[in-house]
Amino acid sequence: MTPADLSVTVLRAVRRAVDEGALPQGVAVPERVVVERPRVGGCGDWATNAALRLARDAGMAPLAVAEVLSAALRGEPGIGRVDVTGPGFLNFTVGGVGSGVAAAVREVGVRGMRYGFGEGMQGEDVELVHGGGVRERVYAEAVRGLLAAQGADVRVREGEDVSVVVRGAHYDPRGLGADACQWALLRPAAGDRVLDGPPLLVQGESNPLFVVRYAHARARALARNAAEWGFTGEWAGDEIGGARLGGLIVEYPGVLEAAARLRAPDRVARALEAVADALLDFQHGVLPMGEEKPSAAHRSRLALAEAAGTVLAGGLALLGVSAPDHL
């Protein structure tokens, strides 16, 4: 179960508790709840402060609200355990080792490059106004794509009453080519200096842009090589390694939503770098070695690697960067 899945499940439990009278009728059900890694003192795989947010509206102690919600959430598919910690945090242990990764891999298979897109900002009307500079235009378009991916209605225009404030480019990066230009302008945070051009043209591990695109190409190559072995990716079990890579894929929808809300494309770029590094570390066990025959573990590893490749392709597309299958 992914954080996005848990968020929807918690909201459903809140509505049910209000409808059934376990929470007062006057409680306003929020549009979304934040699900994140447990803080110090927490436990399990994920946690939310939903009970603390609802307590004042409900006229109840946060712990009491948490107990109501935990009772409503126990037994939900994909949730193995619900614990209440601290002043009223709900802590979730997903149903079985790696089940969150399994759900995420399957969701990537269904949604493809739209994995991580959501409806958390549906109904929000946003106008982005930029000053017309090279970086401002590119940044505004990237933010537009991130907001639209979360359901917002977005307009972009050039004007004096700017809402897109970024540090200007100290050189014209368009001479680098489309992909390196986009990365040079979007990888730094809005207030940071644009990346220097020459390092982005290096075809090696010192260039994070190359590493991200190379990792995507490797994922596609693994799928082609597996086809020659006569097998395809299919999640069949949890004991395959790749915990770091799987965790990053699970967290990716939250990264996209945070990047949209904070108007921060650099968060997506950093997430892609982390996925690429984890995939390149993981890739060596995907295919059979020597006389080894393809097994369920190989199919699961391939499914995870393919999911990572899809995440890389989708994230690069949001940043306006191409993701070639061969590099």
Side-chain angles (χ1 to χ4, degrees):
M1 179 171 278
T2 67
D5 295 329
L6 278 170
S7 179
V8 171
T9 301
V10 172
L11 284 175
R12 191 166 57 237
V14 173
R15 294 190 187 98
R16 189 165 64 248
V18 173
D19 291 342
E20 294 175 355
L23 291 177
Q25 292 295 317
V27 172
V29 179
E31 293 184 1
R32 60 184 293 274
V33 297
V34 176
V35 175
E36 57 189 0
R37 292 295 187 187
R39 301 180 183 182
V40 176
C43 60
D45 301 302
W46 302 101
T48 182
N49 66 350
L52 283 77
R53 292 181 56 198
L54 293 167
R56 178 178 294 181
D57 203 19
M60 299 168 60
L63 278 174
V65 176
E67 289 296 341
V68 168
L69 295 181
S70 66
L73 287 162
R74 291 189 180 102
E76 282 283 340
I79 298 179
R81 178 179 174 134
V82 183
D83 293 288
V84 178
T85 61
F89 289 100
L90 290 166
N91 294 252
F92 307 101
T93 301
V94 295
V97 178
S99 63
V101 176
V105 168
R106 294 187 180 110
E107 187 176 351
V108 175
V110 172
R111 305 198 65 189
M113 289 172 55
R114 293 179 63 85
Y115 173 68
F117 287 26
E119 300 178 350
M121 302 184 73
Q122 190 168 26
E124 295 190 30
D125 190 14
V126 182
E127 182 176 63
L128 301 173
V129 184
H130 63 82
V134 173
R135 190 182 186 200
E136 291 169 305
R137 290 198 306 272
V138 169
Y139 209 90
E141 282 300 321
V143 172
R144 181 203 61 76
L146 291 170
L147 290 167
Q150 300 305 316
D153 296 319
V154 192
R155 300 179 307 283
V156 178
R157 68 175 176 86
E158 182 179 339
E160 295 182 357
D161 50 335
V162 297
S163 60
V164 177
V165 180
V166 296
R167 186 171 178 177
H170 55 283
Y171 70 100
D172 188 345
R174 288 173 292 187
L176 301 173
D179 292 324
C181 174
Q182 292 289 114
W183 196 264
L185 296 173
L186 297 176
R187 173 58 179 83
D192 291 344
R193 185 174 182 268
V194 172
L195 297 180
D196 290 331
L200 294 175
L201 302 179
V202 174
Q203 302 294 293
E205 61 182 15
S206 64
N207 176 3
L209 172 59
F210 172 81
V211 171
V212 170
R213 298 173 82 220
Y214 174 70
H216 168 264
R218 284 297 305 144
R220 300 302 180 235
L222 289 170
R224 293 192 299 270
N225 293 338
E228 295 177 0
W229 278 86
F231 73 99
T232 58
E234 180 182 359
W235 190 269
D238 301 330
E239 302 303 321
I240 62 167
R244 181 165 70 102
L245 179 58
L248 291 169
I249 293 173
V250 168
E251 293 170 0
Y252 182 71
V255 170
L256 287 191
E257 183 171 353
R261 292 185 179 278
L262 297 173
R263 316 292 201 262
D266 59 290
R267 286 180 170 243
V268 179
R270 292 200 302 272
L272 297 182
E273 290 175 3
V275 171
D277 287 341
L279 173 58
L280 293 175
D281 285 344
F282 175 74
Q283 64 171 326
H284 305 291
V286 171
L287 299 177
M289 302 289 289
E291 299 299 319
E292 191 178 12
K293 300 296 183 183
S295 65
H298 291 114
R299 290 192 292 273
S300 289
R301 291 177 192 137
L302 179 59
L304 181 58
E306 289 181 305
T310 300
V311 166
L312 293 173
L316 287 171
L318 283 171
L319 298 178
V321 178
S322 68
D325 287 350
H326 303 269
L327 196 62

